[in-house]
């Protein structure tokens, strides 16, 4: 499999027609069809249903298309960033983040970072906490904001704050008739939606581990890939979901209740390579301290306790 095949497949999937895809790629149709066939043979699955008009993607094809777009997009970013650095235009700072941090302090931090270091080309890459560790070691990102403790000696993890957890509930359901803090025990017997489905370990394991420690058993556990999917299913009354408090902003058609338990928190962790002495890393840490010192409304609303004056390093990092 090579990038050319990914681009060929993405064009076919986008156009839903081999002829139009070939025209957009400025190649003849037979070699295009042959490359897609070779790709399917390598993967061992059918990606395209050719008999339909327009052509359709199989379930495997839709997944592969989504992943191919991410790979191709990352390659384009890599090319642009490399050219800019090579031409001494700007310094690139790549930041990995989990989706829920977009609803906390990350946007404000990035704005402050752009103002303080306008020469920086800031790349924001969404990736799960567990994906950030190899990305840091391989140099694909410079810092990461996640929620998962780790034990890799090559990566330093600093707990910035502990964010309270809330339960997302479908409107009109019995548990949604009150907005008072909800005892963790109320989750027993409920259908629970957790995310991400993979890779593991992940935030899903944090939630399930918390319930297991308290011997609280949901009636059923449904695993989904993303928080957006989980909240959409909650809105459709397909179950309940435990999310970080700041993510309440994602949907307004869902009822949220804080969990009445001091242990019901999820850490926000800043990770970077061990031994890293970049001035931009120091700048990021300084901006975070300054941001917390301002005590913004989102910080007070989403934390059971204020963050420490000096961020602390988890024992396992």
């Amino acid at each position: 499999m090579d990038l050319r095949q990914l681009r060929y497949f993405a064009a076919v999937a986008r156009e839903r027609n081999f002829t139009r895809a070939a025209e957009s790629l400025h190649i003849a149709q037979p070699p295009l069809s042959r490359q897609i066939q070779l790709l399917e043979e390598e993967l061992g699955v059918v990606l395209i249903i050719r008999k339909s008009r327009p052509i359709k993607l199989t379930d495997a094809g839709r997944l592969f298309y989504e992943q191919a777009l991410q790979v191709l997009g990352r390659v384009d970013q890599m090319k642009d960033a490399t050219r800019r650095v090579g031409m001494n235009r700007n310094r690139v700072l790549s930041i990995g983040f989990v989706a829920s941090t977009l609803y906390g302090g990350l946007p404000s931090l990035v704005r402050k970072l752009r103002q303080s270091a306008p020469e920086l080309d800031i790349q924001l890459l969404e990736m799960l906490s567990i994906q950030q560790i190899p990305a840091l070691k391989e140099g694909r990102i410079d810092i990461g904001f996640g929620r998962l403790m780790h034990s890799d000696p090559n990566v330093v993890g600093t707990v910035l704050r502990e964010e309270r957890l809330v339960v997302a509930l479908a409107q009109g359901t019995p548990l949604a008739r009150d907005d008072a803090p909800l005892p963790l025990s109320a989750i027993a017997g409920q259908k629970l939606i957790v995310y991400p489905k993979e890779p593991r370990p992940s935030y899903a394991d944090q939630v399930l581990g918390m319930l297991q420690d308290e011997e609280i058993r949901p009636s059923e556990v449904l695993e989904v890939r993303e928080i957006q999917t989980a909240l959409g299913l909650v809105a459709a009354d397909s179950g309940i979901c435990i999310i970080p408090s700041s993510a309440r902003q994602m949907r307004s058609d869902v009822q949220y209740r804080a969990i009445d338990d001091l242990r019901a928190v999820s850490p926000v962790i800043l990770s970077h390579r061990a031994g890293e002495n970049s001035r931009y890393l120091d700048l990021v840490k300084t901006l975070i301290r300054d941001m917390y010192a301002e005590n913004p409304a989102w910080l007070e609303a989403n934390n059971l306790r204020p963050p420490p004056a000096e961020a602390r390093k988890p024992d396992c990092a």
Side-chain angles (χ1 to χ4, degrees):
M1 183 189 309
D2 56 35
L3 289 176
R4 179 186 60 173
Q5 289 176 319
L6 292 184
R7 294 190 189 281
Y8 284 5
F9 175 76
V12 173
R14 181 179 63 251
E15 299 292 343
R16 294 294 198 269
N17 182 282
F18 276 91
T19 301
R20 289 198 300 270
E23 291 174 352
S24 70
L25 294 166
H26 305 292
I27 62 173
Q29 182 176 334
L32 172 61
S33 299
R34 179 56 180 162
Q35 288 301 319
I36 301 300
Q37 182 181 358
L38 290 174
L39 185 59
E40 291 177 318
E41 290 176 357
E42 179 180 350
L43 293 171
V45 296
V46 175
L47 300 174
I48 296 172
I49 302 174
R50 293 165 171 79
K51 294 181 180 180
S52 65
R53 291 293 183 273
I55 63 173
K56 296 181 180 179
L57 300 181
T58 64
D59 290 342
R62 285 193 292 272
L63 175 61
F64 191 77
Y65 180 44
E66 176 184 328
Q67 298 295 323
L69 290 179
Q70 293 183 22
V71 171
L72 293 172
R74 181 62 182 132
V75 169
D76 290 340
Q77 289 179 354
M78 179 180 65
K79 288 179 179 178
D80 291 342
T82 302
R83 291 191 185 105
R84 286 192 292 269
V85 171
M87 297 171 69
N88 295 319
R89 288 184 181 174
N90 18 20
R91 167 77 165 84
V92 177
L93 184 71
S94 296
I95 302 176
F97 66 95
V98 294
S100 60
T101 57
L102 283 178
Y103 300 91
L106 182 59
S108 178
L109 172 64
V110 173
R111 287 195 301 270
K112 292 177 181 291
L113 191 56
R114 293 189 194 279
Q115 293 168 0
S116 300
E119 75 280 7
L120 268 184
D121 182 2
I122 301 173
Q123 304 282 339
L124 294 170
L125 304 171
E126 182 181 354
M127 55 179 62
L128 300 176
S129 299
I130 195 173
Q131 296 171 329
Q132 294 179 21
I133 306 306
L136 282 165
K137 294 195 293 184
E138 295 165 9
R140 290 184 284 120
I141 61 174
D142 299 299
I143 59 176
F145 291 94
R147 294 186 178 274
L148 189 66
M149 299 287 192
H150 64 85
S151 57
D152 194 306
N154 298 304
V155 175
V156 176
T158 303
V159 177
L160 299 178
R161 59 189 176 91
E162 290 184 324
E163 185 174 344
R164 70 187 306 168
L165 298 178
V166 300
V167 182
L169 307 156
Q171 294 180 349
T173 55
L175 290 179
R177 293 171 186 164
D178 191 354
D179 57 3
L182 186 71
L184 197 59
S185 58
I187 296 170
Q190 299 289 327
K191 183 175 180 180
L192 180 66
I193 303 167
V194 298
Y195 68 91
K197 185 176 183 179
E198 55 186 5
R200 307 294 276 272
S202 67
Y203 172 74
D205 298 293
Q206 291 183 6
V207 171
L208 295 175
M210 176 182 65
L211 297 179
Q212 185 176 8
D213 290 344
E214 298 298 317
E215 298 184 349
I216 296 172
R217 294 181 176 84
S219 63
E220 183 181 347
V221 176
L222 173 62
E223 298 179 352
V224 298
R225 293 177 58 192
E226 300 174 340
I227 185 174
Q228 293 91 342
T229 304
L231 291 178
L233 291 174
V234 170
D237 197 13
S238 296
I240 67 174
C241 183
I242 297 175
I243 66 171
S245 176
S246 57
R248 290 178 295 178
Q249 303 174 56
M250 297 184 70
R251 290 191 75 107
S252 59
D253 57 348
V254 171
Q255 178 79 19
Y256 301 99
R257 292 182 65 178
I259 298 178
D260 190 15
D261 192 315
L262 291 177
R263 292 164 294 184
V265 293
S266 176
V268 176
I269 301 173
L270 167 66
S271 297
H272 60 84
R273 285 179 290 276
E276 183 74 44
N277 56 5
S278 164
R279 71 181 183 90
Y280 294 114
L281 175 60
D282 291 337
L283 176 60
V284 167
K285 292 180 178 180
T286 298
L287 292 176
I288 290 174
R289 286 194 296 268
D290 292 346
M291 184 171 63
Y292 284 170
E294 295 170 359
N295 196 28
W298 60 262
L299 184 63
E300 182 178 358
N302 296 322
N303 290 272
L304 287 175
R305 60 186 71 84
E310 291 294 331
R312 56 188 177 86
K313 184 188 299 183
D315 294 336
C316 60

